[in-house]
Amino acid sequence: MSKVLQPGDVIGILGGGQLGRMLALAAARLGLRCHVYEPGAGAPAGEVCAELTCAAYDDDRALRAFAASVDVITYEFENIPTSALDVLEQHCPIRPGREALRVSQDRLSEKQFLNGLGLATAPFAAVDALDALHTAVTSIGVPAILKTRRLGYDGKGQVRIDDAGQAAGAFAAMAGAAAILEGFVDFTHEVSVIGARGADGRVACFDPGQNMHRDGILHTTTVPAQLNRAQLTDAVIATGRILNALEYVGVIGVELFVTAQGLIVNEIAPRVHNSGHWTQNGCVVDQFEQHIRAVAGWPLGDGRRHSDIVMTNLLGDDVAQVPDLARDPAHAIHLYGKAEARAGRKMGHVNRWIGAAA
Ligand code: AMP
């Protein structure tokens, strides 16, 4: 049985963005300290954590000193270089474990893993050359989306192909990066399940949220999602199977497309997730505390939804609306302390209370 952290023990968090910040705040409420490791300056998590290391992911000395100062390591994003994980792992356990990172860092291995569990995904094919793309477009059909296998998020690194003649241009847009072609899924809406698995193997899922994107970036998450009983069960079972298969410890985000033929898994994120921010005001124990509890070896908390919520991201200049939003007591406002409101940058979010859960 792995170590159970005691008050005063230290959780290391790789990444100092808004997710790291909200994890550190949740840990502080539980009497746990956080040491954040972040290469960039001005990290949102920096102002709320006990300790901050500002160093690169190839700085072995900084990595070793960080690992020696913490009791467990977790992360707020999945694209941590493997070489850094190799160094850290020699000194300290990493939760969720390496398998979750390996699977989710590459869209191809992610889809193969999901299909291996019997979960449906979009049809896909690996594309490492233009002739492979032509073959894939012929077999999968159009419309389709060409995506980089690694390092894509918020719709970045993706090109839609509506007819075969666009293949060469789409391939050029990948700039030599290994890619995957996905058939276009004809979905009615998108939902996500935020699931958690404790060190004791217990699994608990938050109610699915319904997601709306704008320009490839999450705009709103609404709970409850429009799902019938069977779909709801399928969504939760899919998440539980993923958690068990990865022997996962922590919180995961599972994005699903809802289609007339059933649910299709779009992707998994081995961390707390933007579409789980509603839990801060919709549940007694939110996704951030649930994650901290899991990685600290504590039992999972009560994540039942007590309120219906619409979470809206505040991007760039949206943050100027905060004084107005604050006038409505139905709004719970969460800001990330970012100085510069660049276009499209996630500055905060607002959780609007829309009623007590039925
Ligand atoms: P992703 O970065 O893979 O989460 O994609 C961002 C968004 O693009 C998703 O939330 C969907 O709205 C859309 N999208 C991605 N892949 C597909 C697909 N295979 N079929 C239809 N829409 C997709």
Side-chain angles (χ1 to χ4, degrees):
M1 180 71 191
S2 41
K3 179 173 175 183
V4 176
L5 269 60
Q6 303 298 315
D9 282 348
V10 185
I11 298 178
I13 302 176
L14 300 171
Q18 62 268 16
L19 300 178
R21 176 185 174 102
M22 291 184 275
L23 285 169
L25 290 169
R29 279 202 308 272
L30 300 179
L32 297 164
R33 297 157 58 80
C34 285
H35 183 169
V36 170
Y37 193 104
E38 162 64 48
E47 51 188 43
V48 303
C49 64
E51 208 176 330
L52 175 68
T53 294
C54 190
Y57 283 117
D58 60 1
D59 183 338
D60 276 16
R61 239 175 57 176
L63 288 170
R64 276 198 297 272
F66 169 75
S69 75
V70 302
D71 297 286
V72 65
I73 293 173
T74 189
Y75 42 89
E76 61 141 28
F77 77 121
E78 54 273 39
N79 293 314
I80 307 146
T82 306
S83 56
L85 297 166
D86 290 342
V87 174
L88 296 169
E89 203 174 42
Q90 289 167 20
H91 304 276
C92 192
I94 300 173
R95 295 176 179 158
R98 294 292 296 272
E99 184 61 4
L101 283 166
R102 188 193 67 75
V103 163
S104 62
Q105 280 182 344
D106 179 345
R107 290 186 191 276
L108 181 64
S109 53
E110 183 176 78
K111 290 221 169 19
Q112 288 166 338
F113 163 76
L114 292 165
N115 287 173
L117 289 179
L119 301 174
T121 62
F124 63 94
V127 170
D128 48 14
L130 184 54
D131 56 351
L133 178 57
H134 286 307
T135 310
V137 169
T138 307
S139 64
I140 289 173
V142 288
I145 306 180
L146 188 63
K147 302 182 178 181
T148 53
R149 277 171 57 175
R150 292 176 175 272
L151 301 176
Y153 66 96
D154 286 345
K156 293 192 174 68
Q158 305 192 5
V159 183
R160 188 173 155 143
I161 299 177
D162 284 305
D163 75 77
Q166 295 169 340
F171 185 75
M174 296 291 111
I180 178 173
L181 186 75
E182 286 185 24
F184 200 81
V185 177
D186 184 20
F187 58 82
T188 53
H189 51 292
E190 296 181 67
V191 300
S192 56
V193 177
I194 308 300
R197 187 169 178 276
D200 59 3
R202 281 191 54 197
V203 165
C205 293
F206 292 99
D207 278 348
Q210 185 161 330
N211 301 326
M212 239 234 337
H213 294 82
R214 270 194 194 162
D215 303 324
I217 302 178
L218 184 68
H219 177 50
T220 60
T221 301
T222 303
V223 280
Q226 286 173 282
L227 292 174
N228 63 33
R229 209 6 95 189
Q231 291 168 327
L232 194 90
T233 306
D234 283 347
V236 169
I237 286 177
T239 304
R241 297 203 45 215
I242 292 166
L243 287 167
N244 280 340
L246 295 171
E247 296 185 42
Y248 199 90
V249 177
V251 161
I252 199 169
V254 178
E255 297 181 15
L256 302 149
F257 296 133
V258 183
T259 77
Q261 290 74 43
L263 299 179
I264 290 182
V265 185
N266 175 28
E267 63 180 9
I268 58 180
R271 53 172 168 78
V272 287
H273 196 258
N274 193 168
S275 68
H277 292 357
W278 68 268
T279 61
Q280 291 172 308
N281 302 100
C283 304
V284 171
V285 170
D286 67 23
Q287 64 163 347
F288 300 100
E289 178 172 337
Q290 204 72 302
H291 185 77
I292 294 294
R293 280 171 170 257
V295 302
W298 291 23
L300 296 179
D302 181 357
R304 275 176 299 178
R305 175 173 56 87
H306 57 63
S307 294
D308 296 347
I309 302 282
V310 180
M311 187 288 306
T312 304
N313 272 332
L314 301 173
L315 304 182
D317 290 344
D318 292 349
V319 75
Q321 301 163 16
V322 164
D324 278 343
L325 293 169
R327 270 187 217 112
D328 185 338
H331 289 151
I333 291 166
H334 302 260
L335 297 179
Y336 309 148
K338 297 182 184 176
E340 204 191 330
R342 285 195 299 273
R345 192 176 195 206
K346 290 178 178 168
M347 303 299 291
H349 63 274
V350 53
N351 284 333
R352 180 176 177 78
W353 187 88
I354 52 172

